[in-house]
Every structure is written in C-alpha cells, then in structure tokens.
Amino acid sequence: MFGSSGSRVLNVINISYLQSRSKRVWVRKPLGSPMAKSKIFRITPKPVIPEDEKAEMKRLFDNYKNSMKSLRQYFFEQSLKQAESGEVAQMKHRLEDQEHERLMEENLLENEKTAMLREERLKIQAEKTQKNVLASLIKKEREAKQHEIQIEDFLTKQMSTPFIKPENIEKAIEDALANPVNFNFALDLDGYVYRGKETSIDMIPEEKRERLNSN
Amino acid sequence: MPFMKGPAPIRRTMEYLDRNKLVLKERVKIFSINYNTKGENHEGARQFVFWHLPQLQFKNPNIQITTFKNLTPSPFIRCYLENGEEVLMDVDFKSKDEIYERVRRIICKSEETLKAEDKLDNPANFGSKCQKHCICEVPGQLPCPSLVPLPKSWRGKYKFQKPDEL
C-alpha cells in the first residue's frame, strides 16, 4: 500500500550515516494516505486547564520571554559595539570619514561652480531687463511727445478758426445782420451749386460754379 | 488588464522601484529638497522629484524625505547627517540626470559597498534572502542536526552540564 520510504537512517555519532538493508522501519504514515477506519470518528479530549493556572502560566511565560528577548537584544548590541571597536572596524571608519570629507569638498566645489554660472545668468538677465525697460521708457517718451504735438496742432487749428469773443460780438452781430445767409440752394452730384428758390437748371448754361465746401 | 492610473504609473511598479542604486549612507537621516513648481532652472529638480524620489524612499524606508515647494528662488538639496552636519547641494539649472549622478556620488553607498553588503551574491551568506538557507545544505558540510543528531560532546547542553552540581 505505501511504498517503502527509502532505506533506514540510523542515529550515528560519526558524520557519515550508515544504510541498513534489513527490516523496514515505520517512521510515519505517508502524507497522502487516508485516515484509518478505527480513527476517523475519534474525538481527542481537549486538556482542560483552570483559568487561574492558565493566567499564572501565561504570566511566567511572558516574564521569561521578555527577559530572554531583552537579553538577546542587549547581547546583539554589545556584539555590534565590539565589532565597531575592533581594529579593522576602526580603520574602516577612518577610511569612511576620509572618503566622506573628500566628497564634501567635491560637493563644495560643485556648489561654487553652479553659483558662478548662476551669477552669470542673472547678470545677463539683468542686462536684458535693463535694456527692455530703457526701450519701453524711450518708446513712452516718444509717444508722449507725439501726443503733445498732436494736441498742439489741434489747438492751433482751433485757435485759428474765427471765434466770436466778447470783444468781437458787436461787430459780429452787425456783420451777420448785413450779410444774411441764404440756404436756398441745391447741390448737384457733380458738385455744382444752384442758388435761389426759383432757378431752373436749364436757365444756366455755362456759368456753372463748382463750389467746394467753404469752411 | 486595464492601464494603471495616474501619470507615469511605471514609477509605482516593483521593478522600477527596485532597480536603482540610490541607497543613502547610514549617516544620512533626513533628505530634503527645495524647488519651485514654475521656473526653468527648477526643471531638473522637478523631474528628479517626479522620477527618482519614490525610488529613493523605497530603498531607504527609515529616512525622512521631505519636499519644500515655492520657497526659494533657486533649487537645492539639503541632507542632515547623524552628527548634525548638513550637506547642501546646489542644483540650479542642472538636469535630472546630473542631479541623480551627483546624489549617488556624494551621499549614497558606493557600488563596492553595496556589492559587499548584498546577501544574494555572496555564497558565504546564509539566511532567508541568500542563496542557501543553511550551511547544512552545502555538500561536504555537517548534515542538518534535525536529521542526524550531533555527538553529545558537541552539544552545549551536555558539555556544560555539571552532574556533580545537580
């Protein structure tokens, strides 16, 4: 039913283990085999331990485990310390420190390099912004000047038109009364003016007047 | 299988996190990086944080890594060591690869140390993360005492047992 589980292995003192060729020794039931008929409905009685005894045992075990664990950790730390205090370890530490210092100096040099590059870049940027600001200022000045010129032109134009001031008012009134404006005129598409209310176009042959807007 | 969420989710895969050499030295306790979210000279620092910071934290789970954003006009990395020393690295206008190389050179364990500490490579190490679990697996060595008990004279409980004191 179950195949022979190999040859026997004796408990020996010497390092090599001997093989035995006689009876097969039953070590354990093979793992895939089913439970025996006499054992399938067996219910093993669970050991009943009273609560206070359980508590006492737990307390003892906890104390023991705590002490063992702490001892173990303490010894581990001690062994680490010992390893560190040995000669080889000290040399290692020294080498490491030297290496570290060398790397720190390298780092400082690199920092300085980047700082220099950064300063140059910032300088270039500052010049650029200065130029930009100057250019914009100049532009603004120019525009302001142009604006001023425009305003002056407009003002001169306005001043040149014949305004009626309080000194001229009497003269203006007399002029207006003396020269009444007649609005009875018509305009041609070609720009000719036909004055008067009763004039007809056919009556004026060649005396056409091109009147530009006189203002 | 659907895509992983987020930008560049490869950063969250085990392979990516494992495959880098940013194991900081033991004396480094805090690693902080200052950078801005806008600005051309911070581009390298930003990329470094995006790509390599997860790797760094993965390889150094017991080191505090912090980022400070939009505080200073130029980016820098500052590491605080055990003895109070500070390592300041100016990374203004440097690319991500340059920053990576610099960090690796200055405050990470070198390749030789990593190799020496690597348990898997060295067949002289035994344990859970090594090639062999116990020296008894090596042919030519003592067989496992769980299979073949050691001679009584080699076992501590018999050697140190003082029968006359009992």
Side-chain angles (χ1 to χ4, degrees):
Chain A
M1 210 191 333
F2 320 112
S4 75
S5 49
S7 38
R8 279 199 308 174
V9 174
L10 289 175
N11 279 347
V12 285
I13 292 178
N14 356 355
I15 297 187
S16 60
Y17 44 86
L18 304 171
Q19 286 195 348
S20 154
R21 289 178 223 183
S22 46
K23 265 194 179 168
R24 179 167 54 88
V25 170
W26 178 268
V27 184
R28 68 160 291 160
K29 190 176 184 138
L31 292 166
S33 61
M35 208 178 236
K37 277 201 286 209
S38 60
K39 305 279 186 310
I40 38 175
F41 297 114
R42 187 176 56 171
I43 301 170
T44 48
K46 195 169 168 185
V48 176
I49 311 173
E51 293 295 327
D52 47 350
E53 288 188 21
K54 265 199 221 170
E56 179 62 21
M57 284 207 285
K58 181 170 185 329
R59 184 188 70 83
L60 291 167
F61 266 121
D62 283 344
N63 288 352
Y64 172 76
K65 279 186 217 160
N66 280 336
S67 348
M68 287 301 280
K69 191 169 182 180
S70 55
L71 276 171
R72 233 175 275 135
Q73 209 195 14
Y74 176 73
F75 289 140
F76 180 66
E77 283 170 11
Q78 290 291 315
S79 76
L80 282 182
K81 269 199 211 152
Q82 278 204 352
E84 283 194 13
S85 64
E87 260 204 49
V88 177
Q90 292 228 332
M91 211 170 72
K92 246 200 203 170
H93 271 291
R94 241 181 297 136
L95 284 171
E96 259 190 52
D97 285 335
Q98 279 176 4
E99 187 69 24
H100 187 253
E101 280 200 31
R102 187 183 66 86
L103 289 171
M104 293 299 114
E105 283 174 23
E106 255 191 65
N107 184 38
L108 279 174
L109 285 171
E110 286 239 20
N111 278 358
E112 277 166 27
K113 264 194 245 168
T114 18
M116 296 238 297
L117 284 171
R118 186 190 20 243
E119 284 203 23
E120 281 180 29
R121 223 176 292 123
L122 285 178
K123 241 198 280 176
I124 295 168
Q125 245 188 7
E127 278 182 32
K128 247 196 197 171
T129 44
Q130 233 191 10
K131 252 197 256 175
N132 281 356
V133 165
L134 265 176
S136 73
L137 277 177
I138 289 169
K139 217 170 129 189
K140 273 213 172 139
E141 267 194 58
R142 224 186 298 149
E143 277 180 8
K145 265 194 211 155
Q146 274 204 347
H147 193 61
E148 260 183 56
I149 292 169
Q150 275 182 352
I151 288 176
E152 277 201 43
D153 281 340
F154 179 74
L155 276 178
T156 44
K157 269 198 190 156
Q158 289 291 309
M159 294 305 275
S160 64
T161 52
F163 279 121
I164 300 177
K165 297 196 191 111
E167 308 95 56
N168 301 348
I169 193 167
E170 289 170 4
K171 191 164 171 254
I173 293 172
E174 283 172 19
D175 281 342
L177 283 173
N179 318 329
V181 180
N182 194 359
F183 292 108
N184 278 328
F185 68 90
L187 279 176
D188 204 347
L189 276 178
D190 303 323
Y192 301 134
V193 180
Y194 305 98
R195 294 206 177 263
K197 211 166 153 185
E198 314 276 329
T199 46
S200 66
I201 304 170
D202 315 319
M203 300 298 281
I204 307 177
E206 290 285 323
E207 294 173 3
K208 300 179 187 166
R209 269 172 275 155
E210 272 194 43
R211 266 256 194 106
L212 304 164
N213 293 349
S214 57
N215 253 29
Chain B
M1 219 193 104
F3 289 113
M4 259 173 106
K5 293 192 186 165
I10 191 176
R11 297 174 294 149
R12 286 157 37 208
T13 52
M14 280 299 282
E15 267 195 47
Y16 178 85
L17 291 172
D18 226 356
R19 207 182 296 185
N20 73 90
K21 306 208 183 82
L22 288 176
V23 185
L24 294 172
K25 294 192 181 154
E26 281 120 17
R27 46 176 89 202
V28 178
K29 294 297 173 196
I30 305 175
F31 180 97
S32 75
I33 174 163
N34 265 280
Y35 63 101
N36 288 7
T37 38
K38 297 263 163 77
E40 215 188 305
N41 47 344
H42 301 254
E43 187 59 33
R46 254 177 278 145
Q47 294 291 316
F48 178 78
V49 166
F50 184 76
W51 290 107
H52 295 299
L53 221 60
Q55 289 179 327
L56 190 63
Q57 183 81 93
F58 184 74
K59 289 278 175 166
N60 311 283
N62 298 321
I63 289 182
Q64 178 179 15
I65 297 181
T66 44
T67 54
F68 296 101
K69 299 194 203 158
N70 299 323
L71 291 177
T72 61
S74 66
F76 58 90
I77 296 173
R78 196 177 240 147
C79 305
Y80 298 84
L81 306 185
E82 235 174 346
N83 47 6
E85 207 184 314
E86 286 175 19
V87 183
L88 176 62
M89 286 192 266
D90 198 350
V91 296
D92 197 10
F93 234 95
K94 294 269 189 289
S95 75
K96 136 180 98 107
D97 301 309
E98 283 177 17
I99 302 176
Y100 180 83
E101 273 307 314
R102 191 155 158 203
V103 166
R104 200 156 79 83
R105 209 158 37 92
I106 293 189
I107 43 161
C108 283
K109 290 192 186 160
S110 58
E111 288 240 20
E112 303 101 47
T113 10
L114 279 178
K115 247 193 172 174
E117 289 180 358
D118 180 22
K119 304 276 174 68
L120 196 64
D121 248 355
N122 195 351
N125 292 321
F126 297 99
S128 56
K129 294 179 189 155
C130 314
Q131 287 169 6
K132 285 198 151 37
H133 209 272
C134 181
I135 196 169
C136 63
E137 295 177 33
V138 177
Q141 297 291 334
L142 256 179
C144 193
S146 65
L147 297 171
V148 174
L150 294 170
K152 298 227 167 89
S153 55
W154 295 2
R155 298 177 67 181
K157 64 197 289 183
Y158 291 100
K159 201 158 99 172
F160 299 112
Q161 200 183 51
K162 300 195 173 98
D164 35 305
E165 279 186 17
L166 281 176

